[in-house]
Amino acid sequence: MEEALQNILTTYLKEDGNIITILQDVEENFGYIPEEAVIWFSKKLDIPASRFYGVATFYAQFHLKPKGKNVITICRGTACHVKGSERLLRGFRKRFNLPDGEDTTADGEFTIETVACEGTCSMAPAVLINGKVCGKMTADKLAREIKILKGKKTKKTADDNES
Amino acid sequence: MESGGNYSIMERFRTHVMLCSGMNCVDSGTMKIKAAFEEELRKRGLEGEIKIVLTGCNGYCAHGPVMVVQPDNIFYQSLTVEEVPNLVEEHFLKGRPYQKLLFKEPEKKLAIPQMNEIPFFKYQVLRVLRNTKLIDPESLEEYIARDGYQAAAKALTQMTPEEIVMVVKDSGLRGRGGAGFPTGLKWELGLKIKSDVKYVICNGDEGDLGAFMDRAVMEGDPHSVIEGMIICAKATGSRQGYIYVRAEYPLATKRLRIALDQCYETGLLGKDIFGTGFDFDLKIFKGAGAFVCGEATALMRSIEGKRGMPTPKLWRSAEKGLWDKPTVLNNVETFANIPQIILKGADWYRSLGTERSGGTKVFSLTGKVRNSGLIEVPLGISLREIIYNIGGGIEGGKTFKAVQTGGPSGGCIPANLLDLEVDYESLALAGSIMGSGGMVVLDETDCMVDIAKFFLEFTQTESCGKCIPCRVGTKRMLEILDRVTSGNGKKGDIELLEELGHYIRATSLCGLGMTAPNPVLSTLRYFRNEYEAHIRDKKCPAAVCKDLITYSILEELCNGCGACKRACPADAIRGTRKTPHRIDPEICIKCGTCFDACKFKAIMKV
């Protein structure tokens, strides 16, 4: 970790960056903002950790917890909304029994997120599966995609074929 | 297409295949099509004669992946890998358009090969989007071949800042980001202020839901934005600029970065541009995902590395903006308009549009419309022309209900105002706003209370929390809407929503709060009866609000295929194969998954 952080620091100094650019690099490197990283930068740059957290909690791009192995992002733009994206979201959360406030399944396999608008409104409802946009999504199609992802991880156990 | 352009760059190849690489097409498989095309051309020995170019968004997103063969201007849609060999055979070897993939006129099923003859394109006028389907956005040469950087050269070598400001003022161009402030006036203020350091910022934080115009420009014609900014820098005496790009747009960032590098390599940016002694540096700043950063002062705080919270507008940004220095901020589309205005003059620009709103506007037309996509039309065009002539009407034979313009800050315009001429004032009078140009078409199956709640949920989440009217006010409004849509609405709720809405509008600190009540107030104005049905009758007329509807299976239509049972995430559906199924209302979570899954329309919601 130290080395990655050092690299980010070098870029920051070279390109005249700021807290946001540092956090963007951290997020890109680790997939979230680890507490150790914040403390490390706070000491190196003599900026209170609270300012890092102030920024990190303000912007949607930053996560304070690691994400699951697979990230399913449901677009919640207007066009997607009127074409049923909320139903997809509700169905997905129920399928994995995610309690309110929790976005990652207990086994760490899936994280479900929303994005305000992906800008692919002609493909509504759009869902990003590990960053790849899949348009005109239906609950059925999503279930199939999830099954495929699950299959990859566990090499198709009998259990998965059942569900 | 308005400008004939210069195709000299294309001379080496007999034909160019302009394959759309806009997001909607890429998601439907553009890259696979490109590979198949290259393979097929190689097989037929045509690779030296026909060039495949990945262009920006073509606009006709509904039928992606699409491509245009130039210079013949033949449009092909719904491309598939399997059809590529046939297409190459017919069009490029036999020399006749390949019928199967041509656009078909929906009623008589007549094929229309020429792009300009297709209704979706016929009624458009391309100024901002004039290059997006014609050039490779990663090629500076192709931009230059389309008159690129001629306007910057003219502005830098032949015009004084005052002259530039005058042309922009006379053109009547108004900020395309939403509020519609006259661009020339803004530049004039920037020019008049004396300061050692001044900034130019391009707002590419396109946060409005259902809007992707700026994305298409940044991805499809990034140099036009940069050129507009160079001209603005000259006009206002700035030497440093920033392009603030939304976090969700990695491709736009990449294309802008390539364009910037090309400009620095060729001396279009940096020191002593065109040997005039004029210096201008431009940097990209990636946003981090906050809707409020579309607001000018919040955006500037974000570039400064802080939480993106707006500051009270005690002075204009042109006086005190980024790092307290004079700053001129315009959005992507505004800057992309500038080069053509400088080259062709204010009168040319004003020749389209209305008296108060000159020129054209790019809209993203989405929702329940047949031809969704990206369009550019002269201001003053009616909503009916946009939705029916260009958009091809409502999909699935449903009835038009309303069009939502302006995203979360806008409102819904009902059917009886379809002949409204679109400009800044007329939309404002109708209780909506122009906004950045999102247009979401709604049909009879959309609940207007739900739409209002949807937008308010969004603005509530995105409220930065600094001022009380927005932070607390929107929360209270949302609670009322939650109550109404769940069947617990009370008498007086409508009046309370109106009262709160007016207070929030009048007392919020920034545009986000001031416009947040718009979706609620405009739907109350035109669709009050729907609110009343929710409150008084505990019914959702469009059968959307889940607490007010129940799902059931029509026995006579159910053939027991089991699709609903498999899809149900709550295991609420009972039944054996080939016999009618039944939904257990106790377990049903009303997610609607079964409704979407059933191919026999056997599932009812009332």
Side-chain angles (χ1 to χ4, degrees), chain B residues 291 408-409 454-463 470 474 512 516:
Chain B
F291 176 66
S409 315
F454 164 76
F455 281 117
L456 202 61
E457 244 169 16
F458 175 77
T459 32
Q460 217 293 301
T461 316
E462 293 294 334
S463 168
C470 176
T474 55
L512 189 150

Side-chain angles (χ1 to χ4, degrees), chain B residues 62-373:
Chain B
H63 300 279
V66 302
M67 63 174 237
V68 186
V69 183
Q70 292 292 8
D72 323 3
N73 214 17
I74 306 288
F75 176 81
Y76 289 111
Q77 63 179 22
S78 310
L79 305 171
T80 61
V81 171
E82 295 71 35
E83 289 289 353
V84 168
N86 299 336
L87 177 63
V88 171
E89 165 99 20
E90 286 286 308
H91 190 112
F92 298 102
L93 286 175
K94 294 185 178 160
R96 57 189 180 207
Y98 181 45
Q99 293 293 325
K100 196 170 168 190
L101 298 179
L102 291 175
F103 171 85
K104 310 277 182 337
E105 193 260 333
E107 267 145 42
K108 294 179 192 139
K109 305 281 175 215
L110 281 176
I112 306 178
Q114 287 277 328
M115 178 165 73
N116 295 0
E117 300 291 315
I118 297 171
F120 180 79
F121 297 103
K122 198 159 91 181
Y123 301 96
Q124 296 193 45
V125 180
L126 305 183
R127 288 181 169 182
V128 172
L129 302 178
R130 70 192 190 100
N131 287 334
T132 49
K133 39 184 162 285
L134 273 181
I135 64 171
D136 172 359
E138 297 186 7
S139 160
L140 171 63
E141 290 75 17
E142 292 192 14
Y143 180 66
I144 290 174
R146 296 274 299 152
D147 311 336
Y149 290 106
Q150 280 190 24
K154 183 177 174 186
L156 262 57
T157 58
Q158 299 167 24
M159 294 172 84
T160 63
E162 288 77 12
E163 283 167 348
I164 301 173
V165 166
M166 194 51 79
V167 173
V168 177
K169 256 175 98 174
D170 287 346
S171 75
L173 174 67
R174 298 171 63 173
R176 295 294 190 242
F181 190 79
T183 307
L185 267 185
K186 195 182 260 186
W187 289 21
E188 189 173 45
L189 280 171
L191 169 64
K192 280 187 181 157
I193 306 279
K194 298 273 169 283
S195 170
D196 51 339
V197 179
K198 291 180 185 177
Y199 295 102
V200 172
I201 299 179
C202 173
N203 183 350
D205 191 49
E206 186 171 53
D208 272 6
L209 305 170
F212 52 94
M213 300 80 45
D214 291 349
R215 168 186 210 153
V217 176
M218 291 188 281
E219 290 180 0
D221 197 13
H223 281 291
S224 67
V225 182
I226 298 173
E227 187 176 4
M229 292 185 78
I230 295 173
I231 296 166
C232 176
K234 162 82 183 190
T236 56
S238 158
R239 285 155 181 261
Q240 173 71 57
Y242 288 93
I243 307 179
Y244 188 98
V245 191
R246 185 168 178 237
E248 287 84 351
Y249 291 173
L251 183 62
T253 312
K254 184 188 149 207
R255 293 256 164 92
L256 283 166
R257 194 150 276 154
I258 292 172
L260 280 190
D261 289 347
Q262 290 166 340
C263 287
Y264 273 108
E265 273 165 33
T266 49
L268 288 163
L269 282 174
K271 296 250 173 285
D272 193 22
I273 302 172
F274 295 126
T276 56
F278 181 72
D279 307 337
F280 185 52
D281 273 307
L282 197 50
K283 275 188 183 166
I284 295 172
F285 190 88
K286 274 195 295 177
F291 176 66
V292 69
C293 287
E295 200 276 343
T297 58
L299 184 147
M300 291 173 200
R301 300 298 85 79
S302 183
I303 295 182
E304 292 167 2
K306 299 174 187 154
R307 287 163 73 94
M309 291 164 110
T311 36
K313 284 208 167 137
L314 302 175
W315 40 76
R316 291 197 170 276
S317 301
E319 299 164 61
K320 239 178 172 185
L322 186 63
W323 286 297
D324 280 348
K325 296 290 180 189
T327 305
V328 170
L329 181 141
N330 283 121
N331 96 321
V332 171
E333 193 184 330
T334 314
F335 279 125
N337 265 303
I338 295 292
Q340 293 289 302
I341 292 177
I342 297 297
L343 266 190
K344 296 181 176 166
D347 289 340
W348 166 82
Y349 193 75
R350 286 198 91 104
S351 65
L352 289 178
T354 62
E355 186 58 34
R356 290 166 305 189
S357 310
T360 58
K361 175 81 192 82
V362 185
F363 291 101
S364 52
L365 185 62
T366 62
K368 306 290 179 64
V369 65
R370 206 180 274 155
N371 304 329
S372 58

Side-chain angles (χ1 to χ4, degrees), chain A residues 16-17 25 34 37 78 83 90-91 93 96 99 101 104 111-112 118 131 135 143:
Chain A
D16 195 19
D25 287 348
T78 320
K83 294 200 172 176
R90 231 186 286 148
R93 295 189 67 92
F96 287 98
T104 303
T111 290
I112 185 147
E118 183 50 32

Side-chain angles (χ1 to χ4, degrees), chain A residues 18 20 24 54 58-61 76 78 81-83 87 90-91 95 116-118 120-123 133 139, chain B residues 24 27 61 209 215 246 286-289 302-303 306-308 366-367 372 395 450 454 546 567 590-591 593 596:
Chain A
N18 60 38
I20 294 180
Q24 283 173 332
F58 187 85
Y59 295 98
Q61 192 187 8
R76 291 287 290 127
T78 320
H81 175 74
V82 297
K83 294 200 172 176
R87 295 207 290 272
R90 231 186 286 148
R95 186 175 292 275
C117 180
E118 183 50 32
T120 53
C121 312
S122 291
M123 311 272 290
V133 184
Chain B
N24 288 287
D27 297 340
C61 310
L209 305 170
R215 168 186 210 153
R246 185 168 178 237
K286 274 195 295 177
S302 183
I303 295 182
K306 299 174 187 154
R307 287 163 73 94
T366 62
S372 58
E395 60 176 15
D450 173 72
F454 164 76
K546 71 178 173 86
K590 298 177 185 174
C591 65
T593 305
D596 296 330

